[in-house]
């Protein structure tokens, strides 16, 4: 509904929401693009913003939505916002984990639901894979940053990209040439940058 409202209010700056795939339980994973000519691929640098990998972190989604409104509302009056929107193609996936989010709404309709993972049934009767630990690069590097135990909140799944949600983000990323990707979380006041699978180990750039 928020994405529909943004499109209604700012049709020249944001695309109609598009499904880039579905979750384990079949829910759409929505994406929109903000730019000065959002319907056109202008060859400008692309940036991807995602949030709500962990369904108990709804503030991550709220932060991204507020940022999107900030861009839309201040375009044409704020020089920095205007420059970014005119010279970048900004892609947003506000809810990577819709199943876990809906599960928290169902179990705790007044808020406070603490379910983190997606809703895949695991062997042994537990549920869920930590989508943030299901990506392919250095998947399963150790059992400290992620867990092989299906009952763990950091369970990484049966293999890299075993989950439809992480596959959706992978496939969408492979269709683009993102110069930056921001994955929003709301667990603590941190800016985490790659690579994270080894402590104090940075990318060459």
């Amino acid at each position: 509904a928020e994405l529909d409202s943004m499109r209604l209010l700012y049709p020249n700056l944001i695309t109609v929401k598009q499904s880039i795939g579905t979750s384990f339980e079949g829910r759409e994973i929505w994406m929109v693009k903000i730019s000065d000519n959002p319907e056109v691929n202008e060859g400008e640098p692309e940036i991807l913003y995602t949030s709500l990998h962990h369904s108990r972190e709804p503030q991550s989604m709220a932060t991204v939505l507020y940022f999107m409104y900030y861009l839309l509302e201040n375009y044409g009056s704020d020089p920095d916002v205007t420059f970014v929107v005119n010279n970048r193609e900004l892609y947003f996936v506000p809810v990577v984990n819709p199943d876990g989010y809906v599960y928290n709404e169902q179990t705790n309709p007044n808020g406070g639901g603490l379910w983190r993972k997606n809703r895949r049934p695991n062997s042994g009767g537990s549920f869920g894979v930590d989508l943030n630990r299901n990506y392919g690069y250095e998947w399963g590097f150790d059992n400290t940053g992620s867990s092989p135990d299906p009952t763990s909140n950091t369970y990484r799944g049966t293999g890299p990209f075993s989950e439809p949600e992480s596959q959706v983000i992978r496939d969408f990323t492979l269709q683009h040439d993102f110069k930056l990707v921001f994955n929003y979380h709301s667990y603590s006041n941190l800016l985490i940058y790659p690579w994270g699978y080894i402590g104090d180990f940075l990318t060459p750039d």
Side-chain angles (χ1 to χ4, degrees), residues 46-64:
E46 298 177 313
I47 302 173
L48 174 63
Y49 301 83
T50 71
S51 51
L52 215 69
H53 274 78
H54 295 146
S55 50
R56 65 185 183 191
E57 300 177 17
Q59 181 59 47
S60 67
M61 173 185 60
T63 298
V64 168

Side-chain angles (χ1 to χ4, degrees), residues 128-158:
V129 170
D130 182 342
L131 298 176
N132 203 45
R133 286 157 175 80
N134 189 239
Y135 291 96
Y137 188 75
E138 296 294 345
W139 179 89
F141 177 78
D142 61 28
N143 294 330
T144 303
S146 67
S147 175
D149 179 0
T151 65
S152 169
N153 271 330
T154 60
Y155 176 51
R156 59 184 172 248
T158 57

Side-chain angles (χ1 to χ4, degrees), residues 3 13-15 18 20 30-35 37-51 64 67-68 71 88-94 169 172-173 175-184:
L3 300 180
L13 296 176
I14 187 170
T15 61
Q18 304 165 47
I20 57 171
W30 299 110
M31 178 279 301
V32 292
K33 174 185 168 185
I34 292 177
S35 192
N37 295 296
E39 310 292 347
V40 179
N41 182 353
E42 297 184 288
E44 298 167 338
E46 298 177 313
I47 302 173
L48 174 63
Y49 301 83
T50 71
S51 51
V64 168
F67 176 58
M68 294 169 70
L71 294 173
R88 301 291 185 270
E89 298 186 354
L90 310 174
Y91 294 82
F92 296 86
V93 181
I169 300 300
F172 183 68
T173 299
Q175 295 168 10
H176 294 269
D177 182 24
F178 292 119
K179 302 303 183 185
L180 288 171
V181 177
F182 293 96
N183 299 303
Y184 278 78

